[in-house]
Amino acid sequence: MSRVSQFRLQAQYNRWFNRKLYEAAARLGPEGVALDRGAFFGSILHTLNHIMVGDLIWLRRFAAEHPTRPPVVPVGAEGWPDAERLNQVLYTDFEALRAKRDQLDAVIEDWIGGLSEADLDIDLEYRNTQGVAARRPFDLLLAHLFNHQTHHRGQVTTLLTQAGQDVGPTDMLLLIPNPLAAPA
């Protein structure tokens, strides 16, 4: 499997898992998702905001520093918040965050779908949120983007389980085709 194919699978998984996660969180209602549960970012809502902040920061860096075809959108476009701090709360309304998450996941999936192997073979120079300069392989930064999401979705899954909400199976294995499986 090529690196691009792996990232396409990760983008598909990202979108699938986020939909399951937001569906489970919605069952808690606005007060339940906003309740401080003692997690690193406090509430489920704030943790979900953090995931989006991380995505937007990285996508902005990718758009500014990497000449990929197609370019990353909609970072910097009208209607998208300017994420700057890792603990920033972009949306206090869960349903507004959910709608933007779904839009952003579609953007990520479409953008990853347009990348080539050659697009992955560059180093990206950027500054972190404290202004420290860095230069790292672009393909490994993409891996970090997806790993960051997975890490924090795991935290949200735990919070949801503690609140009595079952997210259901979440392994990426469920999206990997199995040619030996019997047709449904």
Side-chain angles (χ1 to χ4, degrees):
M1 177 180 266
S2 70
R3 292 177 298 165
V4 167
S5 295
Q6 290 176 5
F7 288 128
R8 288 178 184 153
L9 177 62
Q10 287 182 297
Q12 179 187 5
Y13 174 67
N14 172 59
R15 191 175 199 184
W16 174 78
F17 195 157
N18 280 335
R19 285 182 172 164
K20 290 174 65 81
L21 200 65
Y22 276 77
E23 182 180 304
R27 293 191 294 264
L28 293 176
E31 298 81 19
V33 295
L35 180 67
D36 188 334
R37 297 176 183 276
F40 188 80
F41 291 99
S43 68
I44 291 168
L45 181 67
H46 286 184
T47 306
L48 293 172
N49 267 280
H50 170 73
I51 297 169
M52 182 174 282
V53 165
D55 289 354
L56 290 172
I57 287 172
W58 279 109
L59 292 174
R60 183 177 63 208
R61 289 174 185 155
F62 297 160
E65 303 298 334
H66 191 297
T68 60
R69 310 291 182 281
V72 181
V73 291
V75 177
E78 185 177 326
W80 287 91
D82 189 18
E84 297 174 358
R85 297 178 330 278
L86 296 176
N87 64 348
Q88 185 175 349
V89 176
L90 302 172
Y91 297 96
T92 56
D93 178 83
F94 174 75
E95 289 303 327
L97 177 64
R98 184 181 191 178
K100 278 299 191 186
R101 177 77 260 172
D102 196 51
Q103 289 175 4
L104 188 58
D105 288 344
V107 166
I108 291 169
E109 198 167 1
D110 289 346
W111 174 63
I112 293 289
L115 292 178
S116 70
E117 287 292 318
D119 289 327
L120 301 176
D121 290 331
I122 69 160
D123 285 345
L124 187 80
E125 293 185 25
Y126 64 94
R127 293 192 175 275
N128 70 14
T129 57
Q130 289 79 40
V132 177
R135 179 183 179 131
R136 294 192 168 103
F138 179 60
D139 60 344
L140 297 180
L141 293 175
L142 274 179
H144 169 71
L145 173 82
F146 290 116
N147 187 62
H148 177 260
Q149 296 166 355
T150 300
H151 167 71
H152 289 295
R153 279 194 303 256
Q155 292 174 332
V156 173
T157 301
T158 297
L159 296 174
L160 287 167
T161 300
Q162 291 171 348
Q165 298 302 313
D166 183 10
V167 178
T170 59
D171 288 339
M172 189 166 73
L173 181 64
L174 298 171
L175 300 183
I176 299 172
N178 177 3
L180 299 179

